[in-house]
Amino acid sequence: MTKSDTTLYFVPGTCAQAVLIALYEAGADFTLKTLSFAANEQRSPEYLAINPKSRVPALVTPQGVLTEVPALLLYVAQTHPQANLAPLNDPFALAHMQEFNAYLASTVHISHAHRPRASRWADDEAAQASMRAKVPQNMRECFTVIETHYLGDKPWVMGDQFTVADGYLYTMAGWLESDGVDIAEFPRVAAHSARVRARASAKKVAEAVA
């Protein structure tokens, strides 16, 4: 991939951060294009032509456009094998990493989204308020599973090797405070986040959104 033919469409504070971390970890050449939700740019005709889902991230590649974080993370890992961002030669370990990423996408992200995006699931204001009130409990339950089942005593999700799953977890853990959960309730997750934050890739993300 070269900078001229690879573009990440990104919004700060979203799950797209996980893909940006992966691209920096991989040493990829790419162009970063930041959209503004406040300006509703994700619904502009120009962006809808790229991603009709009107969501981020979207990654424009030489072969076409890819969306959905787990797919983009695996693509980055597979196109940059020298970065060792996934256990590409171990079918079971790779499936286990994808299991974790799928859990973040299908369960953790949805649990979080009931707070800022309750209107996706209900028009009734009381129902929306009820969904928002449930978010802290649901996020605690999700991160209890992550803390005990997935992280355990390992430094990274997959053990001793940093993978694309770690940037993804770091991104989701960054939402806990806004969801009414103190990350200190999960010391392993908190320590994991501190380790990711200290990496050059996370520092580059912070610089990119400053």
Side-chain angles (χ1 to χ4, degrees):
M1 295 192 294
T2 66
K3 196 165 187 174
S4 61
D5 57 24
T6 303
T7 301
L8 175 66
Y9 286 84
F10 169 86
V11 174
T14 69
C15 59
Q17 175 180 274
V19 181
L20 184 55
I21 289 173
L23 288 166
Y24 284 140
E25 287 280 345
D29 289 323
F30 67 99
T31 298
L32 181 64
K33 290 196 176 181
T34 302
L35 301 180
S36 169
F37 280 169
N40 215 30
E41 289 180 347
Q42 78 278 13
R43 297 189 182 279
S44 68
E46 294 80 9
Y47 186 64
L48 289 174
I50 295 167
N51 183 7
K53 300 171 185 175
S54 71
R55 307 278 178 86
V56 292
L59 188 69
V60 178
T61 79
Q63 292 80 32
V65 178
L66 291 171
T67 63
E68 306 301 330
V69 171
L72 271 59
L73 294 178
L74 185 57
Y75 175 80
V76 172
Q78 289 181 316
T79 53
H80 298 80
Q82 73 286 350
N84 295 318
L85 292 174
L88 299 176
N89 297 320
D90 184 332
F92 180 85
L94 183 61
H96 185 64
M97 187 191 80
Q98 289 300 86
E99 171 197 321
F100 180 76
N101 288 344
Y103 180 67
L104 294 183
S106 66
T107 302
V108 182
H109 196 153
I110 301 306
S111 297
H112 159 78
H114 278 75
R115 179 182 59 78
R117 303 281 185 264
S119 60
R120 288 178 181 168
W121 293 278
D123 294 320
D124 180 71
E125 291 185 4
Q128 292 179 19
S130 181
M131 279 188 269
R132 286 191 291 268
K134 189 80 170 176
V135 168
Q137 176 186 337
N138 289 340
M139 290 296 279
R140 282 190 176 93
E141 290 178 357
C142 289
F143 274 84
T144 295
V145 171
I146 293 169
E147 176 93 354
T148 59
H149 178 64
Y150 284 109
L151 272 184
D153 295 325
K154 300 175 295 182
W156 306 116
V157 173
M158 296 303 297
D160 293 332
Q161 178 64 42
F162 180 96
T163 68
V164 292
D166 294 294
Y168 202 4
L169 173 56
Y170 172 71
T171 297
M172 296 280 177
W175 297 344
L176 285 172
E177 182 178 0
S178 65
D179 288 337
V181 180
D182 187 350
I183 195 173
E185 296 177 30
F186 305 98
R188 291 167 175 165
V189 173
H192 175 273
S193 290
R195 285 191 290 273
V196 178
R197 193 177 303 112
R199 294 178 74 87
S201 58
K203 293 176 180 178
K204 287 181 180 178
V205 170
E207 292 170 0
V209 303

Tab-separated table of all heavy atoms in Angstrom, residues 10 12-14 16-25 30 32 170-171 199-210:
chain	number	residue	atom	x	y	z
A	10	PHE	N	-11.935	8.982	9.177
A	10	PHE	CA	-11.760	8.873	10.626
A	10	PHE	C	-12.519	9.995	11.324
A	10	PHE	O	-12.663	11.098	10.792
A	10	PHE	CB	-10.251	8.993	10.890
A	10	PHE	CG	-9.836	9.168	12.321
A	10	PHE	CD1	-9.657	8.078	13.149
A	10	PHE	CD2	-9.579	10.440	12.834
A	10	PHE	CE1	-9.235	8.236	14.464
A	10	PHE	CE2	-9.165	10.606	14.145
A	10	PHE	CZ	-8.995	9.498	14.961
A	12	PRO	N	-12.365	11.514	15.401
A	12	PRO	CA	-11.786	11.340	16.738
A	12	PRO	C	-12.823	10.848	17.745
A	12	PRO	O	-13.989	11.239	17.694
A	12	PRO	CB	-11.296	12.751	17.088
A	12	PRO	CG	-11.061	13.401	15.766
A	12	PRO	CD	-12.134	12.871	14.863
A	13	GLY	N	-12.376	9.969	18.634
A	13	GLY	CA	-13.257	9.468	19.676
A	13	GLY	C	-14.102	8.284	19.280
A	13	GLY	O	-14.839	7.744	20.110
A	14	THR	N	-14.015	7.862	18.022
A	14	THR	CA	-14.801	6.730	17.550
A	14	THR	C	-13.944	5.470	17.476
A	14	THR	O	-12.734	5.497	17.680
A	14	THR	CB	-15.389	7.004	16.163
A	14	THR	OG1	-14.316	7.028	15.194
A	14	THR	CG2	-16.147	8.331	16.130
A	16	ALA	N	-12.903	4.160	14.977
A	16	ALA	CA	-11.907	4.310	13.916
A	16	ALA	C	-10.500	4.484	14.485
A	16	ALA	O	-9.511	4.229	13.794
A	16	ALA	CB	-12.263	5.498	13.024
A	17	GLN	N	-10.411	4.922	15.737
A	17	GLN	CA	-9.108	5.074	16.371
A	17	GLN	C	-8.326	3.767	16.361
A	17	GLN	O	-7.093	3.760	16.207
A	17	GLN	CB	-9.271	5.556	17.810
A	17	GLN	CG	-7.960	5.619	18.585
A	17	GLN	CD	-8.135	6.090	20.013
A	17	GLN	OE1	-8.139	7.282	20.273
A	17	GLN	NE2	-8.301	5.149	20.941
A	18	ALA	N	-9.007	2.639	16.516
A	18	ALA	CA	-8.333	1.344	16.543
A	18	ALA	C	-7.615	1.077	15.230
A	18	ALA	O	-6.507	0.521	15.212
A	18	ALA	CB	-9.342	0.229	16.831
A	19	VAL	N	-8.235	1.472	14.127
A	19	VAL	CA	-7.626	1.257	12.815
A	19	VAL	C	-6.450	2.207	12.619
A	19	VAL	O	-5.415	1.821	12.066
A	19	VAL	CB	-8.666	1.433	11.699
A	19	VAL	CG1	-8.032	1.179	10.335
A	19	VAL	CG2	-9.853	0.496	11.926
A	20	LEU	N	-6.583	3.430	13.096
A	20	LEU	CA	-5.489	4.388	12.986
A	20	LEU	C	-4.272	3.898	13.774
A	20	LEU	O	-3.136	3.971	13.294
A	20	LEU	CB	-5.937	5.760	13.478
A	20	LEU	CG	-4.930	6.907	13.328
A	20	LEU	CD1	-4.448	7.043	11.892
A	20	LEU	CD2	-5.550	8.223	13.818
A	21	ILE	N	-4.502	3.367	14.976
A	21	ILE	CA	-3.400	2.797	15.759
A	21	ILE	C	-2.739	1.662	14.981
A	21	ILE	O	-1.510	1.580	14.902
A	21	ILE	CB	-3.908	2.299	17.123
A	21	ILE	CG1	-4.269	3.484	18.028
A	21	ILE	CG2	-2.857	1.415	17.816
A	21	ILE	CD1	-4.935	3.090	19.330
A	22	ALA	N	-3.541	0.797	14.392
A	22	ALA	CA	-2.989	-0.337	13.644
A	22	ALA	C	-2.144	0.134	12.468
A	22	ALA	O	-1.070	-0.419	12.205
A	22	ALA	CB	-4.123	-1.240	13.157
A	23	LEU	N	-2.608	1.141	11.752
A	23	LEU	CA	-1.852	1.663	10.613
A	23	LEU	C	-0.521	2.251	11.060
A	23	LEU	O	0.514	2.037	10.420
A	23	LEU	CB	-2.680	2.711	9.873
A	23	LEU	CG	-3.860	2.166	9.062
A	23	LEU	CD1	-4.798	3.309	8.670
A	23	LEU	CD2	-3.379	1.428	7.824
A	24	TYR	N	-0.521	2.969	12.173
A	24	TYR	CA	0.736	3.510	12.695
A	24	TYR	C	1.652	2.393	13.165
A	24	TYR	O	2.869	2.426	12.932
A	24	TYR	CB	0.460	4.483	13.835
A	24	TYR	CG	-0.045	5.843	13.405
A	24	TYR	CD1	-1.053	6.487	14.115
A	24	TYR	CD2	0.492	6.505	12.307
A	24	TYR	CE1	-1.517	7.741	13.743
A	24	TYR	CE2	0.021	7.762	11.923
A	24	TYR	CZ	-0.978	8.365	12.645
A	24	TYR	OH	-1.427	9.612	12.266
A	25	GLU	N	1.097	1.379	13.824
A	25	GLU	CA	1.904	0.252	14.279
A	25	GLU	C	2.540	-0.476	13.095
A	25	GLU	O	3.675	-0.955	13.190
A	25	GLU	CB	1.043	-0.728	15.088
A	25	GLU	CG	0.657	-0.254	16.478
A	25	GLU	CD	1.775	-0.428	17.503
A	25	GLU	OE1	2.741	-1.174	17.216
A	25	GLU	OE2	1.671	0.171	18.582
A	30	PHE	N	-0.289	6.040	4.321
A	30	PHE	CA	-1.714	6.274	4.095
A	30	PHE	C	-2.029	7.750	4.271
A	30	PHE	O	-1.248	8.510	4.850
A	30	PHE	CB	-2.563	5.439	5.064
A	30	PHE	CG	-2.428	5.853	6.510
A	30	PHE	CD1	-3.366	6.657	7.117
A	30	PHE	CD2	-1.345	5.417	7.265
A	30	PHE	CE1	-3.232	7.041	8.446
A	30	PHE	CE2	-1.197	5.786	8.596
A	30	PHE	CZ	-2.149	6.605	9.183
A	32	LEU	N	-4.801	10.343	5.940
A	32	LEU	CA	-5.841	10.411	6.964
A	32	LEU	C	-6.799	11.549	6.635
A	32	LEU	O	-6.378	12.688	6.464
A	32	LEU	CB	-5.212	10.643	8.338
A	32	LEU	CG	-6.176	10.725	9.531
A	32	LEU	CD1	-6.886	9.391	9.734
A	32	LEU	CD2	-5.427	11.141	10.796
A	170	TYR	N	-8.057	-0.759	23.716
A	170	TYR	CA	-7.692	0.566	24.233
A	170	TYR	C	-8.735	1.605	23.846
A	170	TYR	O	-9.124	2.458	24.659
A	170	TYR	CB	-6.325	0.947	23.674
A	170	TYR	CG	-5.865	2.350	23.944
A	170	TYR	CD1	-5.489	2.763	25.217
A	170	TYR	CD2	-5.783	3.277	22.903
A	170	TYR	CE1	-5.048	4.048	25.454
A	170	TYR	CE2	-5.340	4.567	23.124
A	170	TYR	CZ	-4.973	4.952	24.403
A	170	TYR	OH	-4.536	6.232	24.634
A	171	THR	N	-9.216	1.529	22.628
A	171	THR	CA	-10.232	2.471	22.162
A	171	THR	C	-11.518	2.314	22.955
A	171	THR	O	-12.107	3.303	23.415
A	171	THR	CB	-10.491	2.251	20.662
A	171	THR	OG1	-9.282	2.545	19.939
A	171	THR	CG2	-11.616	3.136	20.157
A	199	ARG	N	2.782	3.721	23.883
A	199	ARG	CA	3.355	3.329	22.607
A	199	ARG	C	3.370	4.500	21.626
A	199	ARG	O	2.531	5.413	21.702
A	199	ARG	CB	2.574	2.148	22.005
A	199	ARG	CG	2.718	0.879	22.834
A	199	ARG	CD	1.892	-0.250	22.243
A	199	ARG	NE	2.482	-0.795	21.025
A	199	ARG	CZ	3.387	-1.759	20.997
A	199	ARG	NH1	3.825	-2.299	22.132
A	199	ARG	NH2	3.854	-2.213	19.853
A	200	ALA	N	4.308	4.452	20.695
A	200	ALA	CA	4.448	5.527	19.712
A	200	ALA	C	3.179	5.695	18.885
A	200	ALA	O	2.806	6.816	18.523
A	200	ALA	CB	5.637	5.244	18.807
A	201	SER	N	2.491	4.581	18.593
A	201	SER	CA	1.287	4.662	17.765
A	201	SER	C	0.195	5.485	18.442
A	201	SER	O	-0.470	6.313	17.791
A	201	SER	CB	0.770	3.260	17.457
A	201	SER	OG	0.483	2.547	18.651
A	202	ALA	N	-0.016	5.265	19.732
A	202	ALA	CA	-1.038	6.017	20.454
A	202	ALA	C	-0.659	7.488	20.563
A	202	ALA	O	-1.526	8.377	20.496
A	202	ALA	CB	-1.256	5.421	21.836
A	203	LYS	N	0.625	7.758	20.721
A	203	LYS	CA	1.081	9.148	20.765
A	203	LYS	C	0.851	9.840	19.422
A	203	LYS	O	0.481	11.017	19.367
A	203	LYS	CB	2.552	9.203	21.167
A	203	LYS	CG	2.801	8.745	22.608
A	203	LYS	CD	4.280	8.722	22.948
A	203	LYS	CE	4.516	8.262	24.371
A	203	LYS	NZ	5.946	8.180	24.727
A	204	LYS	N	1.050	9.111	18.327
A	204	LYS	CA	0.794	9.678	17.004
A	204	LYS	C	-0.689	9.973	16.804
A	204	LYS	O	-1.045	10.981	16.191
A	204	LYS	CB	1.287	8.718	15.921
A	204	LYS	CG	2.800	8.645	15.791
A	204	LYS	CD	3.198	7.691	14.676
A	204	LYS	CE	4.706	7.611	14.525
A	204	LYS	NZ	5.108	6.649	13.473
A	205	VAL	N	-1.538	9.105	17.335
A	205	VAL	CA	-2.986	9.341	17.266
A	205	VAL	C	-3.324	10.629	18.010
A	205	VAL	O	-4.088	11.471	17.518
A	205	VAL	CB	-3.775	8.158	17.841
A	205	VAL	CG1	-5.246	8.536	17.977
A	205	VAL	CG2	-3.626	6.938	16.951
A	206	ALA	N	-2.771	10.795	19.215
A	206	ALA	CA	-3.043	11.988	19.998
A	206	ALA	C	-2.588	13.244	19.247
A	206	ALA	O	-3.274	14.277	19.268
A	206	ALA	CB	-2.327	11.905	21.347
A	207	GLU	N	-1.462	13.142	18.567
A	207	GLU	CA	-0.967	14.285	17.788
A	207	GLU	C	-1.874	14.555	16.587
A	207	GLU	O	-2.124	15.713	16.234
A	207	GLU	CB	0.454	14.002	17.309
A	207	GLU	CG	1.482	13.960	18.432
A	207	GLU	CD	2.832	13.451	17.959
A	207	GLU	OE1	2.965	13.125	16.751
A	207	GLU	OE2	3.767	13.367	18.784
A	208	ALA	N	-2.374	13.490	15.974
A	208	ALA	CA	-3.193	13.633	14.780
A	208	ALA	C	-4.538	14.305	15.069
A	208	ALA	O	-5.095	14.989	14.204
A	208	ALA	CB	-3.440	12.273	14.151
A	209	VAL	N	-5.061	14.107	16.299
A	209	VAL	CA	-6.382	14.665	16.621
A	209	VAL	C	-6.279	15.945	17.444
A	209	VAL	O	-7.299	16.543	17.795
A	209	VAL	CB	-7.242	13.627	17.366
A	209	VAL	CG1	-7.390	12.362	16.552
A	209	VAL	CG2	-6.647	13.300	18.740
A	210	ALA	N	-5.054	16.364	17.774
A	210	ALA	CA	-4.881	17.571	18.602
A	210	ALA	C	-5.336	18.812	17.847
A	210	ALA	O	-5.217	18.906	16.630
A	210	ALA	CB	-3.429	17.692	18.997
